[in-house]
Amino acid sequence: MSWIAGYLDAKGSITRKALGVRRRPCLIVRVVDSNREGLTLLMEAFGGRITSWNSGRAWRWSVEGSQAVRCLERVAPDLILKRQRAELALALRDTPELLPALTRGAL
C-alpha cells in the first residue's frame, strides 16, 4: 500500500460532498494523472472509475462512499502529506453537520 499512499500524497485529493435532499455526506478520493497506467492499478485495487479530465489532457480516477472509506482505511497509515486529512475524513464520514471541515482548502 505504500506506493498507493505516495501516489495519493502526490496527485490525489480527499474531499466530501453532500448528497440529496437530506444532505448526506459522501467521502470522495480522487487522483488526476496524465498517465492512465497508475490509475488503472488504483481501479483494480479499490474499484471506482476513470474518466477523461482537463479536456482530454489527463485522466481522473475516483471512488466515493464505501469504496473511498475502504481505500483510506488501507492507505492512511502510509500517507505522509495527507494523513491528517484522511484521518479527519474517516472520523467525520457520517457527520453531515461537519461537512465544511473537508471542503476544498479547509484543512
Side-chain angles (χ1 to χ4, degrees), residues 15-19 23-28 30 49 64 99 102:
T15 58
R16 289 193 332 165
K17 66 179 177 183
L19 295 178
R23 311 296 293 161
R24 299 192 76 113
C26 180
L27 185 59
I28 305 164
R30 293 182 177 133
R49 64 180 183 264
E64 299 182 0
L99 186 64
L102 281 173

Side-chain angles (χ1 to χ4, degrees), residues 35-85:
N35 184 339
R36 190 177 173 142
E37 185 176 356
L39 302 178
T40 300
L41 294 172
L42 289 173
M43 191 169 71
E44 289 172 1
F46 300 108
R49 64 180 183 264
I50 298 173
T51 56
S52 178
W53 185 251
N54 197 16
S55 301
R57 291 181 285 227
W59 299 96
R60 181 175 75 177
W61 167 79
S62 61
V63 288
E64 299 182 0
S66 61
Q67 288 179 316
V69 169
R70 195 183 73 156
C71 173
L72 290 181
E73 286 175 340
R74 290 184 61 196
V75 301
D78 294 323
L79 290 170
I80 296 170
L81 302 174
K82 293 184 172 77
R83 181 181 296 154
Q84 182 182 12
R85 187 173 191 84

